Amino acid sequence: MGLVQNLVKRIPSSPSLPTLEKLPSLGDLSRQRERITPRLAFFRRRIRLKGNSKISIPLGAVLLFPIIVIILILVLVVRHPSSPARILMPAGAPPSIRKISEKHDKVFVTGCLEPQAQGPRANAAFVVLAREKELEGVIQSVKSIERHFNRWFHYPYVFLNDGDFSADFKATIANYTSAPVEYGKIDPSMWGYPEWVDASVAKEGINKQGDAAIMYGGMESYHHMCRFYSG
């Protein structure tokens, strides 16, 4: 008997069920409803369609209707295939296949095929103006050119710099292309300020462009590059 009594004492007792005295009264419920009702009373107000009309509509429905119309219009505009806003939508399903436009897309009818590398060749080369510290960016550019074009045509590269290229730079470039590569050094007469230009005045103009937040305007080397490419 002592063991049974100890077990009974250790068993947690279940919570007591609410009695009638603890349940909220009807008066309490009505008071809670009265507190909520004024918040919605504004939207429950009914307005007539015309001055003497017997038909009335809740104000909430009148306010909700134009919002629904605007949402539907936005959805239709965004989901339209020719809408520029469609790019804002995440790509869920693949786009529907449409007929090729004979006017604009005729060159893409045959699809993405390997180019005919045995045809006439242009007398051309890729001229790259770069510095030693820009090696990583040069690698990305060469990889892109080779992947999309030059692996079929093998046009040569010409790397130019106002300094000397290191052996490490040349060896790294050779790992990313099988095309001929030439390296050259730009003469001081073609890089920097000409003799007839006041360098202090030119630098002051460059600083003004930098203060005006013009893209690359405050970089002296960028202006030298533009002068070189302009001939």
Side-chain angles (χ1 to χ4, degrees):
M1 292 297 293
L3 178 61
V4 175
Q5 291 178 355
N6 291 333
L7 292 175
V8 171
K9 291 180 180 179
R10 293 183 180 181
I11 295 176
S13 59
S14 59
S16 58
L17 296 176
T19 60
L20 292 176
E21 291 78 7
K22 296 182 179 180
L23 291 176
S25 62
L26 295 177
D28 296 335
L29 293 176
S30 61
R31 282 191 294 271
Q32 293 178 1
R33 183 178 179 182
E34 290 176 357
R35 287 195 297 267
I36 298 175
T37 301
R39 302 177 183 177
L40 304 177
F42 175 77
F43 297 99
R44 292 180 179 178
R45 293 177 56 185
R46 306 186 71 86
I47 58 175
R48 298 179 184 274
L49 297 179
K50 292 183 179 180
N52 299 326
S53 176
K54 296 182 179 179
I55 303 175
S56 61
I57 301 176
L59 180 59
V62 176
L63 298 176
L64 188 61
F65 178 76
I67 297 176
I68 296 175
V69 172
I70 293 174
I71 293 175
L72 291 176
I73 293 175
L74 292 175
V75 171
L76 293 176
V77 170
V78 171
R79 292 182 62 87
H80 195 274
S82 61
S83 173
R86 189 174 177 82
I87 60 176
L88 302 176
M89 297 290 292
S96 58
I97 300 176
R98 292 180 295 168
K99 184 180 178 181
I100 293 294
S101 173
E102 294 293 334
K103 181 179 179 181
H104 302 288
D105 303 327
K106 191 174 182 179
V107 294
F108 302 106
V109 173
T110 56
C112 297
L113 303 178
E114 290 191 4
Q116 298 296 329
Q118 305 301 326
R121 302 289 298 274
N123 184 18
F126 293 102
V127 179
V128 183
L129 190 61
R131 291 179 172 176
E132 287 282 331
K133 63 181 181 180
E134 299 170 338
L135 178 59
E136 290 300 325
V138 172
I139 291 174
Q140 297 302 321
S141 298
V142 172
K143 288 171 62 177
S144 178
I145 294 173
E146 292 294 319
R147 181 171 62 251
H148 296 99
F149 175 80
N150 209 41
R151 58 175 171 163
W152 294 287
F153 297 96
H154 300 283
Y155 280 98
Y157 291 88
V158 178
F159 288 91
L160 300 177
N161 189 2
D162 58 340
D164 295 322
F165 287 101
S166 65
D168 181 66
F169 187 99
K170 298 177 181 180
T172 303
I173 296 299
N175 292 332
Y176 292 95
T177 179
S178 58
V181 182
E182 297 289 339
Y183 297 91
K185 184 177 180 180
I186 300 175
D187 188 84
S189 62
M190 296 183 293
W191 191 263
Y193 300 105
E195 295 180 355
W196 48 269
V197 172
D198 189 339
S200 60
V201 176
K203 291 180 180 180
E204 183 180 355
I206 292 174
N207 293 332
K208 288 182 179 180
Q209 292 187 16
D211 295 338
I214 298 175
M215 183 177 292
Y216 307 122
M219 297 176 59
E220 186 178 5
S221 60
Y222 180 78
H223 290 269
H224 295 330
M225 181 195 69
C226 293
R227 173 176 174 258
F228 175 79
Y229 277 135
S230 64

